[in-house]
Amino acid sequence: MDLKVKEGQVWKYDNREGEEDSRAIILKIEESKDDSMVVHVQISGIKINNPNSGEVIEEITHMPFSIEALGASLNELMEESEIPDFEEGYDSWKREYDNGKAGVFTISIGEAVKYMDDAVNS
């Protein structure tokens, strides 16, 4: 896939069963330390049960992906929208990333959402 993404785009992606209305919003695109591209996204329309609070998590406000992982995930551009507030999650990630303690997802968005689900429910 010749992926041409830009900030503010809303995409359908290869989601998990039961989350067909889930979308990925492109928040920020930047070059990483190793000169590859990192695409920051917000995922909405998911369903992760949080056993600690009893609530259902319906969105992840910030997830960083390699451009390759994103290209393997996105399948239909839906629209362009305003970019939601994501600075708090991004700033936290960026501090850890700059200190070598955080990275980017190199798996599909659906796999990353499952990873987050497993982390919350383990």
Side-chain angles (χ1 to χ4, degrees):
M1 173 182 208
D2 184 21
L3 187 64
K4 296 197 183 343
V5 295
K6 63 183 195 180
E7 295 168 2
Q9 291 179 332
V10 180
W11 287 81
K12 280 187 180 181
Y13 66 92
D14 292 331
N15 50 22
R16 303 186 310 165
E17 186 174 332
E19 296 177 344
E20 289 77 14
D21 292 331
S22 180
R23 301 289 182 266
I25 302 170
I26 309 299
L27 303 170
K28 182 179 180 75
I29 303 167
E30 66 181 338
E31 205 169 290
S32 71
K33 293 186 273 193
D34 64 2
D35 296 326
S36 62
M37 297 307 293
V38 178
V39 183
H40 303 270
V41 301
Q42 174 181 309
I43 308 299
S44 62
I46 58 172
K47 296 174 181 80
I48 297 176
N49 293 314
N50 184 339
N52 297 320
S53 68
E55 297 178 356
V56 176
I57 299 167
E58 296 182 346
E59 83 176 8
I60 301 171
T61 58
H62 173 258
M63 295 181 88
F65 286 89
S66 70
I67 190 76
E68 295 81 9
L70 209 65
S73 300
L74 302 179
N75 54 33
E76 183 181 347
L77 177 60
M78 301 300 296
E79 62 185 342
E80 293 194 24
S81 74
E82 294 290 317
I83 297 172
D85 179 26
F86 69 96
E87 284 77 15
E88 184 178 336
Y90 172 81
D91 291 345
S92 176
W93 169 84
K94 183 73 169 148
R95 267 191 313 278
E96 296 299 310
Y97 179 76
D98 288 345
N99 290 325
K101 296 180 180 176
V104 300
F105 286 102
T106 58
I107 55 178
S108 73
I109 295 173
E111 291 170 317
V113 170
K114 180 184 182 318
Y115 170 83
M116 298 297 284
D117 194 341
D118 291 347
V120 168
N121 287 288
S122 63

